[in-house]
Amino acid sequence: MWWILSIIPQFMKILPGPPAVITAFIKGIQGTLFTDIGVSLMRVAIGFVLAFIIAVPVGFLMGWYRWAQGIFEPWIQFFRTIPPIALIPMVVIVLGIGESAKIFVIWAAAFLTIVISVYQGVKNVDITLLKAAKVLGANDWDLFFDVVIPASFPYILVGVRIGLASAWSTLVAAELIASQHGLGSMIEQAGLYYQVSIIILGILLIGVIGFLMDRGVLWMERRLTGWQEKVS
């Protein structure tokens, strides 16, 4: 369909065909394309890892202690309604235009997704499991590590999957902050010079890399939660 649309006169000037995008890819390989991909991956990785490290304990606290839920949940729910791109002007004022600002925007998108998933996982632990563990003499420490964490582990992996997608999808917005390299920056600069083939190339690369990341997390989820009963 893409190829057919690219040869229709009405679309020829605004939609380059696959050969033009392949040519742009080859030229990019000879230029800074791998650098742009590497920089984007680095930003997403740092933002996502920081989000995961902070979101998991916060999510467990919210799900396990009512006081933590009262403190954190209203703020998290409030900021979840704000698109990360809306934070960019304030982030620039506070953090400047360096790497920390870009990583913070990615972190915010991933954190808000992961923490809710972990929180829901803890809240949805079967109360029967908790009661059975108490009958067998488990204390609060045993309940948390031997019941709550294993039972909520599938939710954690779902949060990882969605959080990684959120981090990757926020990449372009983050790289609008005075970036010299990165796929988002590449798309933005190509838009300024009306280089549509490079814009499409950047979109395709973001989609393909994001898809591969998602497949990797899905594979890990299947390997680590094989014990979980699934509806056939």
Side-chain angles (χ1 to χ4, degrees):
M1 289 180 63
W2 173 19
W3 206 315
I4 292 172
L5 287 174
S6 67
I7 62 176
I8 296 176
Q10 291 88 338
F11 294 98
M12 288 179 64
K13 293 183 179 180
I14 60 173
L15 183 64
V21 176
I22 293 173
T23 300
F25 177 70
I26 294 172
K27 291 182 178 179
I29 292 176
Q30 298 170 349
T32 62
L33 181 60
F34 285 140
T35 301
D36 291 329
I37 293 174
V39 169
S40 292
L41 286 172
M42 178 197 69
R43 289 166 178 160
V44 170
I46 294 174
F48 173 79
V49 169
L50 291 175
F52 181 81
I53 292 173
I54 299 173
V56 170
V58 171
F60 275 120
L61 284 174
M62 288 170 54
W64 193 247
Y65 297 107
R66 187 175 296 274
W67 61 263
Q69 178 183 347
I71 292 173
F72 293 113
E73 187 185 20
W75 291 101
I76 290 173
Q77 295 294 351
F78 171 78
F79 280 105
R80 280 184 68 218
T81 63
I82 302 174
I85 195 171
L87 301 175
I88 289 178
M90 195 65 192
V91 170
V92 170
I93 292 173
V94 176
L95 298 177
I97 59 175
E99 288 297 315
S100 58
K102 303 172 184 62
I103 291 172
F104 178 84
V105 174
I106 295 172
W107 172 87
F111 170 81
L112 294 172
T113 303
I114 298 172
V115 71
I116 290 298
S117 182
V118 176
Y119 165 67
Q120 289 297 331
V122 177
K123 295 293 287 185
N124 289 336
V125 173
D126 191 347
I127 191 66
T128 304
L129 295 177
L130 298 175
K131 290 181 178 179
K134 288 182 179 180
V135 169
L136 294 173
N139 55 32
D140 287 345
W141 190 265
D142 295 327
L143 285 176
F144 186 73
F145 283 96
D146 295 336
V147 179
V148 175
I149 290 181
S152 59
F153 191 67
Y155 288 86
I156 296 175
L157 290 178
V158 170
V160 167
R161 187 179 178 189
I162 301 175
L164 187 58
S166 298
W168 190 247
S169 62
T170 311
L171 174 69
V172 176
E175 292 184 337
L176 293 175
I177 307 174
S179 295
Q180 297 298 320
H181 293 288
L183 293 174
S185 176
M186 183 184 78
I187 292 173
E188 181 191 15
Q189 293 176 18
L192 295 176
Y193 297 101
Y194 203 72
Q195 297 171 320
V196 184
S197 59
I198 297 179
I199 295 174
I200 295 176
L201 173 63
I203 293 171
L204 290 176
L205 287 173
I206 289 174
V208 169
I209 296 172
F211 177 80
L212 293 176
M213 287 181 173
D214 181 75
R215 295 299 95 178
V217 176
L218 185 60
W219 175 84
M220 182 175 67
E221 179 182 345
R222 289 171 179 169
R223 297 277 294 185
L224 296 177
T225 60
W227 51 269
Q228 186 182 17
E229 293 183 4
K230 295 180 174 63
V231 178
S232 58

